[in-house]
Amino acid sequence: GAVVSQHPSRVICKSGTSVKIECRSLDFQATTMFWYRQFPKQSLMLMATSNEGSKATYEQGVEKDKFLINHASLTLSTLTVTSAHPEDSSFYICSARETSGPSYNEQFFGPGTRLTVL
Amino acid sequence: RKEVEQDPGPFNVPEGATVAFNCTYSNSASQSFFWYRQDCRKEPKLLMSVYSSGNEDGRFTAQLNRASQYISLLIRDSKLSDSATYLCVVNAHGGHTGFQKLVFGTGTRLLVSP
């Protein structure tokens, strides 16, 4: 299957700082990428859908000014958590969807980024 | 009511046992269905899609009942390596955007013991 990478895999930061997470599709092009968040013992919750060359679509209750998404190319989307607070500590996972080929429409998940805000 | 509901478990079974997980979904417009597997502190990985006619992949069998909005996963001859959390996932169009949107259940935890 297709490969999606995320960087960093783990980040610890101080309250009030901003953190950028990168999501890359390594061997395919993805016009659409998705950002999820998972708190302990809870399900993955979709935060936003990232579309290459246009604005991201945010789910209800997700602050677009706090979680900045940039999808500047067909292989890279970034999520920036601005002014992070301890309640933003979570497991952030991206996924990318192939737009052509045998796995068309299947979502491939990155390995996740564990954010801890002190 | 949650969009996708699962029994969180854990299900503790011995090696070789058969175990079944169930899942219900609330959106009757849901179009496709999946079971994902998630290991501790890892990303979810697709286990299998679920088709209306039911489908089997080795020791795993998935079934869908659209009328009851119910999905199941059966694991036969459980292995130690099957220990994980199994996520029921439903795909629906994301409202006005028209994009597909995966909705995840909280998962059912399986522990297979020797």
Side-chain angles (χ1 to χ4, degrees):
Chain A
V3 178
V4 175
S5 70
Q6 270 184 253
H7 179 80
S9 58
R10 179 184 291 269
V11 58
I12 301 173
C13 69
K14 292 182 179 180
S15 186
T17 61
S18 294
V19 175
K20 181 187 281 189
I21 303 170
E22 291 186 350
C23 177
R24 292 182 186 272
S25 56
L26 297 187
D27 51 1
F28 67 101
Q29 293 185 331
T31 54
T32 305
M33 291 183 174
F34 303 87
W35 286 97
Y36 296 85
R37 179 168 55 181
Q38 186 177 32
F39 292 107
K41 299 192 177 183
Q42 294 188 25
S43 59
L44 274 76
M45 296 297 295
L46 179 65
M47 299 175 67
T49 301
S50 169
N51 306 300
E52 187 266 336
S54 64
K55 291 181 179 180
T57 303
Y58 289 81
E59 294 299 302
Q60 194 173 10
V62 178
E63 299 175 56
K64 63 180 181 180
D65 294 330
K66 180 170 179 63
F67 299 99
L68 302 179
I69 291 173
N70 187 305
H71 192 158
S73 77
L74 287 172
T75 59
L76 172 65
S77 176
T78 60
L79 168 69
T80 301
V81 183
T82 62
S83 187
H85 290 283
E87 58 266 29
D88 298 323
S89 299
S90 187
F91 191 43
Y92 291 84
I93 308 174
C94 74
S95 72
R97 188 177 67 192
E98 281 201 89
T99 52
S100 63
S103 300
Y104 170 70
N105 236 17
E106 182 178 347
Q107 285 192 31
F108 299 95
F109 286 83
T113 297
R114 194 160 298 279
L115 170 64
T116 303
V117 184
L118 303 177
Chain B
R1 181 187 173 188
K2 290 180 181 177
E3 287 191 69
V4 179
E5 293 207 59
Q6 295 181 252
D7 179 346
F11 283 54
N12 291 284
V13 303
E15 267 188 295
T18 296
V19 61
F21 305 139
N22 302 319
C23 166
T24 57
Y25 61 95
S26 61
N27 186 349
S28 59
S30 299
Q31 300 182 341
S32 48
F33 311 88
F34 310 90
W35 283 101
Y36 277 74
R37 169 192 170 130
Q38 186 175 26
D39 292 290
C40 188
R41 305 174 81 85
K42 299 284 187 183
E43 78 276 21
K45 295 188 176 177
L46 180 64
L47 180 65
M48 60 196 304
S49 301
V50 187
Y51 304 118
S52 297
S53 55
N55 49 303
E56 187 174 311
D57 183 1
R59 298 182 293 109
F60 300 85
T61 301
Q63 292 198 309
L64 166 66
N65 184 322
R66 284 188 185 270
S68 302
Q69 296 179 198
Y70 169 96
I71 306 160
S72 66
L73 176 67
L74 182 77
I75 304 175
R76 291 181 298 277
D77 188 23
S78 299
K79 311 291 185 189
L80 295 177
S81 57
D82 293 334
S83 296
T85 297
Y86 291 83
L87 307 173
C88 176
V89 183
V90 172
N91 187 353
H93 273 304
H96 67 281
T97 65
F99 289 112
Q100 67 165 337
K101 171 182 170 179
L102 292 185
V103 180
F104 287 77
T106 52
T108 299
R109 192 165 171 222
L110 172 66
L111 299 171
V112 182
S113 53

